[in-house]
Amino acid sequence: AAPCEHAEGTKMTKIELVLRDESLEEALDVIARAARTGNYGDGKIFVFDLLEVVRIRTGETGADAL
């Protein structure tokens, strides 16, 4: 997690996760419930497709590299 400061002085944290598709909905639910205060600045969750992953040490690719 990398803290940064928003223009209004609000502290922000960026978290990046790589998950298998079957874990996505549960992860979204857990993160949203933990972060939700009902106040401005609770945050956003962005979901992207990961095209490829390579484990540099072994050369494994795709799901084997996760």
Side-chain angles (χ1 to χ4, degrees):
C4 58
E5 196 163 317
H6 191 263
E8 291 98 29
T10 303
K11 296 284 183 180
M12 296 173 53
T13 301
K14 179 179 180 181
I15 301 170
E16 295 184 14
L17 302 172
V18 176
L19 305 167
R20 296 180 189 272
D21 288 342
E22 57 269 18
S23 301
L24 178 61
E25 290 304 319
E26 181 181 4
L28 292 174
D29 182 56
V30 168
I31 294 166
R33 282 189 288 118
R36 186 176 296 119
T37 66
N39 296 318
Y40 178 83
D42 277 353
K44 297 174 180 71
I45 299 174
F46 299 92
V47 178
F48 297 90
D49 285 330
L50 182 64
L51 300 178
E52 183 61 275
V53 60
V54 177
R55 185 183 305 236
I56 295 171
R57 180 177 52 85
T58 63
E60 293 169 300
T61 61
D64 291 338
L66 294 178

